[in-house]
Amino acid sequence: MVILEVKDIHKRFGRTEVLKGIDFTLEKGEVLSIIGSSGSGKTTLLRCLNSLEFANKGQIIVGGETIFDADINKRPSEAELRQKRLHFGLVFQNFNLFPQYSVLENVTLAPKLLKKASNEEIEQTAMELIESVGLKEKINNYPCELSGGQQQRVAIARALALKPEILCFDEPTSALDPELTGEVLKVIKSLADKHMTMIVVTHEMSFAHDVSDKVIFMDQGVIAEQGPPTILEHPATERLQNFLTSF
Amino acid sequence: MKKKVWIGIAVALILALLGTFIWYVYFTGYDYSMADDSSMTIGDYTVSAGADGSGTLEMKEYQNKAKGISGVQLNAEANGSSFFMWVIDGDYEIIAGNINNEVIRVKPNSDLRILAMYNDGVNAGPANVKIVFSTLNEGFVQTLKLFAVTLLGAIPLGLIISFGTMSRFKPISILMRVIVWIVRGSPLMLQLLIIFYMPGMLFGNNIWGGNEIGRFWASAVAFIINYACYFSEIFRGGIQGVPIGQHEAGQVLGLSKSQIFFKVTLMQMIKRIVPPMSNEIITLVKDTSLARIIALQEVIWAGQAFMKSSHGIHGIIWPLFTTGIYYLAFSGLLTLLFGWIEKKLDYFKV
């Protein structure tokens, strides 16, 4: 079942066209990895999906519902926008945990403010999520007391607490020391095993190869190549070939 | 070892200064005292002189049938000049005059003891100390009022101005920046004078009125505008200092703009602005003294008044110097308060 359809997305910043027509679809439960060099538009694409940026052209359809259509000029209201964002979760490169809240509060803040369930239920779910990312004993610690890898795992739990249909990761391990990337990738892999639909922008080629169902290689604002993870072993295009040899 | 020596020297210096001060206040000047300080009866009393000369105290029965009052009248005189102040004790009720007059009338059968009397224009020891401090206290209440009103007005106005300077609508942000430049770039003393005197000059009508209340509100307006501009720059730094990622994290979690502001960024802003705000607020404590330029009767004004004449005391300068203690004590309290707040916010890092 197709959960996400992205049609002909174009995005310009001033005169620079960052995305020059992106099309792809994603099946429910699939993991999609987006790879490509810096400046190829990977992050901008994720930000368009999460309504942090608005594309100049194209459509985004989630589960049959068009959540973005550049042809409709009317800007969505604040409330509509918030509703649309909730289809997606986003895990940032630099975590963006709320420093003044404890680990538990970071995870429960949004569900409580959005009144997703009773406070007891929210806290119960949050505890389970925190436990599932392996941070049960850090539940009352503050972000400044955690390592980068631990912070990123809290960020994943925080995103999961809202039960998004599609969870996006924007280079989740790029800000981490190499010895900490493993623990975060392990958590993402465990989510893949539970058939969470995910889009992962990453520079970790072996991770992309092992975990994803589908790989997109972006170059200069277009999808230069896409296919199953095997394209990482046998690239069809010269551009992907060149990109992979740089690793 | 060396450190201890220095601390010792510092403590000794402070004690010496304090001692000099107490000695100066209490034991200099004339000190007339009554030979007999028991309850008064009608008759003549001799005042024994402290430093030089002697005086007399005359006591007469007093009656005013027209007003239906009667009592005892005391007339005092020393060295040819009238007494100016009495230090009296006991269970008495003054019908006319007051302790600053050379004549007072009290109810008959008063248990009145005269402990001391002081001549005009003389530093008068303990009695003066009481008067001076109660006058300074009154002045400092005015200082505190100006301080509190300025804070209450300048914090919200500062927020509005900071939003103005950050506005995407260019004319507003430019206008606000110009206002902030003018207010921060010119002396507060000048602003006080302009705000107090300008309306009268332009419209021939002093909207403030010439009394103490008018002066207070003119001062308050000048201080609120001035401090709002300083605060606005601190707030702007605090708001812009919160990383955009915090805002975006709130957005992708489906929070509304106000939820993001109140639940996510506000606390981080507060943590960022507490140190610069504490600096400004302690400066404000001392800046209130500038209101003296339009004769607001704050503590410096009250202290300075004793150099000429105030409450029957003339020509003493120590009350003015003493006002410093008030500022030190209050800013010390504020320092402790802000230290405590900073410590409370220490549990997280931004």
Side-chain angles (χ1 to χ4, degrees):
Chain A
M1 180 191 132
V2 174
I3 190 161
L4 174 67
E5 266 182 276
V6 173
K7 289 184 183 167
D8 198 28
I9 290 287
H10 288 252
K11 176 67 186 170
R12 261 193 329 272
F13 291 112
R15 285 198 182 157
T16 323
E17 194 165 35
V18 181
L19 298 177
K20 303 167 183 165
I22 303 288
D23 293 270
F24 68 88
T25 58
L26 189 62
E27 295 281 324
K28 192 170 165 56
E30 269 188 343
V31 178
L32 165 68
S33 289
I34 303 178
I35 58 172
S37 51
S38 304
S40 59
K42 309 178 302 275
T43 296
T44 306
L45 177 60
L46 272 198
R47 291 172 64 84
C48 286
L49 293 179
N50 282 277
S51 307
L52 290 175
E53 304 284 354
F54 298 98
N56 302 104
K57 195 180 164 201
Q59 283 135 35
I60 299 168
I61 299 156
V62 179
E65 179 198 347
T66 305
I67 66 155
F68 176 81
D69 189 345
D71 291 337
I72 298 170
N73 273 324
K74 192 168 109 357
R75 274 205 69 166
S77 72
E78 163 91 16
E80 285 171 342
L81 206 55
R82 290 168 62 194
Q83 215 47 50
K84 286 169 183 180
R85 284 198 178 110
L86 286 177
H87 290 292
F88 293 91
L90 178 59
V91 174
F92 296 88
Q93 184 177 344
N94 46 2
F95 334 132
N96 289 334
L97 290 183
F98 304 134
Q100 73 268 40
Y101 292 122
S102 70
V103 166
L104 181 64
E105 288 164 339
N106 261 281
V107 179
T108 57
L109 181 75
K112 278 185 180 174
L113 288 176
L114 302 180
K115 299 197 170 54
K116 285 276 170 191
S118 72
N119 281 357
E120 294 79 47
E121 283 175 77
I122 289 170
E123 270 170 35
Q124 186 60 39
T125 321
M127 302 265 217
E128 285 162 17
L129 283 171
I130 294 166
E131 200 174 343
S132 75
V133 297
L135 289 170
K136 196 183 173 188
E137 69 285 4
K138 298 282 185 189
I139 210 151
N140 290 317
N141 286 69
Y142 287 87
C144 61
E145 299 162 338
L146 303 181
S147 73
Q150 290 170 331
Q151 289 191 47
Q152 192 59 298
R153 280 143 66 194
V154 175
I156 293 170
R158 180 176 71 174
L160 288 171
L162 289 171
K163 303 186 177 68
E165 289 156 64
I166 303 162
L167 185 54
C168 304
F169 295 82
D170 184 11
E171 303 191 21
T173 58
S174 293
L176 298 178
D177 293 336
E179 68 266 29
L180 298 177
T181 58
E183 57 187 75
V184 173
L185 295 180
K186 216 174 96 188
V187 169
I188 301 175
K189 187 162 186 338
S190 75
L191 291 174
D193 294 341
K194 287 180 218 156
H195 302 293
M196 178 85 206
T197 315
M198 292 188 284
I199 302 174
V200 188
V201 168
T202 184
H203 287 298
E204 302 282 333
M205 289 309 142
S206 59
F207 172 78
H209 180 268
D210 296 344
V211 175
S212 22
D213 302 294
K214 193 172 176 182
V215 175
I216 283 178
F217 169 61
M218 283 181 67
D219 190 33
Q220 293 175 15
V222 294
I223 295 178
E225 189 169 342
Q226 61 177 314
T230 47
I231 62 167
L232 296 173
E233 292 158 46
H234 311 288
T237 60
E238 202 181 321
R239 286 200 273 185
L240 180 53
Q241 175 100 55
N242 289 341
F243 176 72
L244 290 173
T245 50
S246 65
F247 277 87
Chain B
M1 189 60 207
K2 255 193 167 166
K3 204 176 164 190
K4 274 186 183 167
V5 171
W6 283 115
I7 292 172
I9 291 174
V11 170
L13 262 174
I14 291 168
L15 285 178
L17 276 171
L18 209 66
T20 312
F21 177 75
I22 291 169
W23 170 80
Y24 181 76
V25 167
Y26 273 78
F27 301 112
T28 58
Y30 301 91
D31 181 14
Y32 295 97
S33 56
M34 287 290 299
D36 182 351
D37 66 353
S38 62
S39 295
M40 307 223 80
T41 51
I42 304 298
D44 287 342
Y45 284 83
T46 307
V47 177
S48 71
D52 58 61
S54 63
T56 57
L57 179 70
E58 185 193 359
M59 184 168 283
K60 295 191 288 195
E61 279 191 87
Y62 162 74
Q63 234 176 351
N64 187 335
K65 280 183 179 157
K67 284 185 179 168
I69 51 170
S70 63
V72 179
Q73 176 172 315
L74 297 96
N75 302 317
E77 196 181 289
N79 289 340
S81 67
S82 297
F83 280 107
F84 209 86
M85 264 187 51
W86 314 70
V87 181
I88 46 189
D89 192 15
D91 184 17
Y92 60 90
E93 191 183 329
I94 294 177
I95 299 166
N98 61 50
I99 54 166
N100 295 332
N101 294 119
E102 64 266 34
V103 178
I104 62 172
R105 288 165 184 167
V106 295
K107 269 202 167 158
N109 303 321
S110 288
D111 171 27
L112 177 82
R113 286 185 300 280
I114 297 172
L115 302 181
M117 289 182 287
Y118 301 102
N119 212 339
D120 195 345
V122 164
N123 172 28
N128 273 6
V129 170
K130 212 175 151 192
I131 292 173
V132 165
F133 276 102
S134 76
T135 310
L136 292 186
N137 287 346
E138 268 172 46
F140 196 61
V141 167
Q142 193 74 316
T143 297
L144 288 180
K145 263 163 68 185
L146 182 57
F147 171 80
V149 168
T150 302
L151 275 190
L152 283 178
I155 288 174
L157 184 60
L159 260 180
I160 293 170
I161 295 174
S162 74
F163 288 135
T165 52
M166 288 186 289
S167 168
R168 273 182 225 147
F169 185 58
K170 277 282 165 212
I172 286 198
S173 82
I174 289 170
L175 177 74
M176 287 298 177
R177 275 163 206 266
V178 169
I179 290 174
V180 169
W181 166 64
I182 290 171
V183 172
R184 293 202 310 169
S186 63
L188 175 53
M189 192 184 276
L190 203 55
Q191 293 164 20
L192 274 159
L193 290 168
I194 289 172
I195 284 180
F196 188 59
Y197 291 114
M198 250 324 210
M201 283 168 57
L202 290 182
F203 315 117
N205 168 27
N206 186 352
I207 55 168
W208 306 110
N211 59 9
E212 179 70 2
I213 296 169
R215 289 165 198 279
F216 178 81
W217 284 110
S219 312
V221 167
F223 271 87
I224 287 171
I225 293 173
N226 186 275
Y227 270 81
C229 286
Y230 279 97
F231 289 169
S232 78
E233 288 298 284
I234 293 176
F235 294 154
R236 191 163 66 92
I239 292 168
Q240 291 178 339
V242 176
I244 186 76
Q246 289 290 313
H247 193 81
E248 289 178 350
Q251 284 183 313
V252 297
L253 290 171
L255 305 187
S256 69
K257 275 181 181 161
S258 71
Q259 285 170 335
I260 292 171
F261 179 77
F262 286 108
K263 298 288 181 177
V264 177
T265 51
L266 182 64
M267 202 60 174
Q268 300 176 39
M269 275 173 56
I270 289 173
K271 181 161 169 111
R272 277 163 198 276
I273 65 174
V274 164
M277 280 297 275
S278 70
N279 224 358
E280 273 316 308
I281 289 171
I282 286 170
T283 305
L284 169 63
V285 176
K286 297 167 290 166
D287 272 2
T288 51
S289 63
L290 288 170
R292 198 241 156 285
I293 197 72
I294 57 169
L296 181 76
Q297 296 174 13
E298 44 69 67
V299 67
I300 294 264
W301 184 93
Q304 204 180 5
F306 287 105
M307 291 173 70
K308 279 185 169 171
S309 175
S310 172
H311 294 77
I313 300 170
H314 314 271
I316 52 174
I317 200 167
W318 67 263
L320 178 60
F321 295 166
T322 306
T323 58
I325 296 171
Y326 286 80
Y327 290 104
L328 279 176
F330 189 55
S331 58
L333 267 178
L334 287 176
T335 306
L336 291 176
L337 173 71
F338 285 117
W340 178 78
I341 292 175
E342 274 181 49
K343 206 161 184 179
K344 280 270 155 193
L345 291 173
D346 239 9
Y347 71 94
F348 73 94
K349 290 194 178 68
V350 289

